[in-house]
Amino acid sequence: MKVTIIGTGYVGLTTAVVLAYLNHDVAAVDKDNNKLNLLHTGESPIHEPGIQDLIDNVGHTIRFTSRFDEVVPDAELIMIAVGTPPKKSGEADTRHVEDAAKEVAQFCDPDKHYTLVIKSTVPIGTNRRVAEVVNEVFSQRKIQGDVSITSNPEFLQEGLALQGAFYPDRIVVGANSDNAIEALRRLYKPILEQTFDPPSWLPRPPSYHLPPMMTTDPNSAEMIKYAANTFLALKISFINEIAGLCEEVEADVTEVARGIGLDSRIGHRFLRAGLGWGGSCYPKDTAALLGVAAQAGYEMPITAAARTVNFQQRKRIVEKLRAVLKTLHGKRIGILGLAFKPNTDDIREAPSLDIIRQLVAEGAKVTVHDPIAMPNTHKLLHDIQINFVEDVYQLSYNADALVLVTEWELYHRLELRKLAKQMKTPILIDGRNVFSPQEARSAGFHYIGIGR
Ligand code: UGA
């Protein structure tokens, strides 16, 4: 199929390369010339395991451009995958989605049918608004225009994006027309039937089942996206709330999570207690859902509480440090990990940022390490004094405490004894419950985890 994707961010680019790999004829539009320049030289503008391999493999078949007029008229299916950043009120700003829809409508051929797919995460009802925008442009152009608008929310996880794209749990399509549903079924056919040859480095998981394509109305599809992210966010906040109580009553939250996860109605996943969620999705989407609810005059206390618990986790870590060090002023603190989760250099809404700012505000001397997120952090935290180290062991020289914030694989294999030996006071706050308390203690650490 001839597909045009608008936006080469994390979702747009992943979708573009995967569809190209599935032999679709893909074009991608972006306004950011820096990104386009990188893509033209075959380089990925985002950090995502496997994406560079796919660009090396099929990138040359994708037309990357800033011009809608070059790639809209001929397309059969056009996907909008631009950002929906939060407004001050927390609501998602759909301006870029509407602008993209306007540009599309501007260059649609009046004699052709198009399927316009909204992939960006958008407030419920955006599909209707996009239809209005498209029709306004058509009436300015004095043409009839034939565009079916569909909602096809994305469930990719950063760090696992390609796995999620090739082997999704489900594909959700919200549409009012059979034509549009048919177009999306054709688009995703190789995935729905798993007829493609997997990339050698991403084999089909042996237990993987063919994914269903669920079709529904557009508003419900938009709601599914927010409800899914909010449910996962509150699952994590729930286990973090239990973790706090475990500390009071001397229970171990990792054991509790194991025990409740064995109930198949609950399941094991997303029950890792720790510093909670960050990133560009849960913080933004839970706020946006509350924004949608506020507009409807509806209260959502569970969603609001999930946010409260989440952001408290960051403060609790600093309280733990304060409790054990008495004062933070002048203390040397080493931070293990800056990214909001492993395998990404994304630091948006990362717990590390709040923790570092708090520590620096209280007069601590902060040294940080992350395998790939240090350049982004450097840019963002240029206004405060922190040290960056390339060698993780340097964090512990003369340090008063270490705080593990992101559970990078490399940290699992650290020589704890070596770290502890170099420290002034060997205190380890394990914000993701990565280490075994016994092992950390026998390596010489005063170990403090979350909920254990
Ligand atoms: C999330 C969803 O998982 C995707 O399905 C969705 O498509 C995406 O948002 C989006 O809306 O674009 P992502 O933000 O990449 O994906 O990250 P997750 O892997 O879901 O993790 C989010 C945060 O939760 C991380 O900070 C992680 O450290 C934290 N987390 C996760 C926990 O604290 N405990 C857990 O048990 C699991």
Side-chain angles (χ1 to χ4, degrees), residues 275 336-342 352 370 404-408 411 432 434:
L275 273 162
L336 290 151
L338 299 165
F340 84 97
K341 67 173 187 179
S352 63
D370 188 284
L404 183 135
V405 178
T406 316
E407 67 278 32
W408 283 98
Y411 298 156
R432 299 286 179 182
V434 160

Side-chain angles (χ1 to χ4, degrees), residues 19-92:
L19 292 178
Y21 185 85
L22 300 175
N23 289 320
H24 290 299
D25 183 354
V26 181
V29 191
D30 207 295
K31 290 202 164 133
D32 183 339
N33 280 324
N34 293 333
K35 267 193 205 162
L36 289 176
N37 289 341
L38 281 175
L39 288 165
H40 285 145
T41 56
E43 249 186 85
S44 171
I46 60 165
H47 251 287
E48 179 62 35
I51 201 107
Q52 188 59 54
D53 288 87
L54 274 194
I55 292 179
D56 293 347
N57 189 342
V58 296
H60 63 282
T61 68
I62 303 174
R63 178 163 178 185
F64 293 105
T65 176
S66 60
R67 298 189 45 178
F68 284 75
D69 59 328
E70 287 180 354
V71 289
V72 166
D74 281 350
E76 290 172 76
L77 189 143
I78 300 160
M79 278 186 168
I80 300 180
V82 296
T84 49
K87 295 189 210 165
K88 276 218 169 74
S89 60
E91 289 163 82

Side-chain angles (χ1 to χ4, degrees), residues 10-11 121 154-158 225 229 232 236 240 269-273 275-282 285 340-341 407 432:
Y10 173 72
V11 169
T121 299
E154 189 49 75
F155 303 106
L156 300 183
Q157 272 177 278
E158 284 190 36
K225 169 66 192 200
N229 272 5
L232 292 168
I236 300 165
N240 281 336
R269 296 176 73 192
F270 279 67
L271 282 181
R272 275 180 287 115
L275 273 162
W277 30 273
S280 65
C281 306
Y282 298 160
D285 293 351
F340 84 97
K341 67 173 187 179
E407 67 278 32
R432 299 286 179 182

Side-chain angles (χ1 to χ4, degrees), residues 193-301:
E193 297 176 1
Q194 290 289 306
T195 47
F196 62 91
D197 287 328
S200 57
W201 41 268
L202 196 60
R204 190 168 291 124
S207 57
Y208 184 67
H209 294 294
L210 294 184
M213 181 168 120
M214 172 186 164
T215 56
T216 181
D217 63 279
N219 277 13
S220 300
E222 287 168 346
M223 180 60 112
I224 285 169
K225 169 66 192 200
Y226 278 124
N229 272 5
T230 302
F231 186 80
L232 292 168
L234 69 91
K235 203 172 174 192
I236 300 165
S237 283
F238 174 76
I239 201 67
N240 281 336
E241 184 168 285
I242 292 290
L245 187 58
C246 282
E247 288 174 9
E248 299 299 323
V249 299
E250 292 184 22
D252 182 339
V253 73
T254 58
E255 291 297 302
V256 176
R258 193 156 69 93
I260 63 174
L262 285 168
D263 183 330
S264 58
R265 293 170 301 175
I266 297 174
H268 286 292
R269 296 176 73 192
F270 279 67
L271 282 181
R272 275 180 287 115
L275 273 162
W277 30 273
S280 65
C281 306
Y282 298 160
K284 175 166 86 73
D285 293 351
T286 49
L289 190 62
L290 290 175
V292 172
Q295 286 232 331
Y298 182 73
E299 284 185 19
M300 297 192 76

Side-chain angles (χ1 to χ4, degrees), residues 164-436:
F166 283 116
Y167 311 117
D169 285 345
R170 79 305 207 184
I171 290 172
V172 173
V173 173
N176 291 321
S177 93
D178 291 344
N179 275 352
I181 294 172
E182 214 27 63
L184 279 144
R185 210 180 284 288
R186 266 198 298 140
L187 180 77
Y188 289 123
K189 193 167 188 269
I191 289 178
L192 293 169
E193 297 176 1
Q194 290 289 306
T195 47
F196 62 91
D197 287 328
S200 57
W201 41 268
L202 196 60
R204 190 168 291 124
S207 57
Y208 184 67
H209 294 294
L210 294 184
M213 181 168 120
M214 172 186 164
T215 56
T216 181
D217 63 279
N219 277 13
S220 300
E222 287 168 346
M223 180 60 112
I224 285 169
K225 169 66 192 200
Y226 278 124
N229 272 5
T230 302
F231 186 80
L232 292 168
L234 69 91
K235 203 172 174 192
I236 300 165
S237 283
F238 174 76
I239 201 67
N240 281 336
E241 184 168 285
I242 292 290
L245 187 58
C246 282
E247 288 174 9
E248 299 299 323
V249 299
E250 292 184 22
D252 182 339
V253 73
T254 58
E255 291 297 302
V256 176
R258 193 156 69 93
I260 63 174
L262 285 168
D263 183 330
S264 58
R265 293 170 301 175
I266 297 174
H268 286 292
R269 296 176 73 192
F270 279 67
L271 282 181
R272 275 180 287 115
L275 273 162
W277 30 273
S280 65
C281 306
Y282 298 160
K284 175 166 86 73
D285 293 351
T286 49
L289 190 62
L290 290 175
V292 172
Q295 286 232 331
Y298 182 73
E299 284 185 19
M300 297 192 76
I302 296 180
T303 305
R307 288 176 59 82
T308 305
V309 169
N310 189 60
F311 297 115
Q312 259 169 12
Q313 289 303 94
R314 303 168 183 197
K315 294 194 187 129
R316 288 173 65 101
I317 279 280
V318 178
E319 280 162 19
K320 283 182 182 196
L321 271 174
R322 217 183 280 121
V324 72
L325 291 171
K326 307 297 175 242
T327 169
L328 294 173
H329 193 84
K331 295 287 160 63
R332 291 174 187 275
I333 316 283
I335 303 287
L336 290 151
L338 299 165
F340 84 97
K341 67 173 187 179
N343 298 324
T344 175
D345 65 346
D346 196 342
I347 52 160
R348 284 176 287 177
E349 301 278 344
S352 63
L353 304 177
D354 281 347
I355 293 168
I356 292 168
R357 283 196 189 279
Q358 183 66 41
L359 293 175
V360 170
E362 295 197 30
K365 295 186 178 119
V366 178
T367 305
V368 303
H369 175 271
D370 188 284
I372 58 175
M374 290 204 285
N376 282 344
T377 310
H378 199 266
K379 269 187 242 154
L380 198 78
L381 295 184
H382 56 84
D383 54 331
I384 58 173
Q385 179 66 40
I386 47 176
N387 287 326
F388 292 82
V389 291
E390 293 289 339
D391 172 6
V392 55
Y393 289 96
Q394 274 182 18
L395 275 189
S396 62
Y397 286 137
N398 224 5
D400 293 283
L402 290 181
V403 183
L404 183 135
V405 178
T406 316
E407 67 278 32
W408 283 98
E409 183 57 36
L410 109 116
Y411 298 156
H412 292 242
R413 300 190 305 267
L414 284 173
E415 281 180 59
L416 292 181
R417 203 170 290 279
K418 182 171 166 188
L419 281 174
K421 244 194 198 148
Q422 301 186 133
M423 293 177 68
K424 195 163 150 207
T425 48
I427 293 165
L428 174 59
I429 311 255
D430 183 358
R432 299 286 179 182
N433 289 342
V434 160
F435 304 108
S436 126

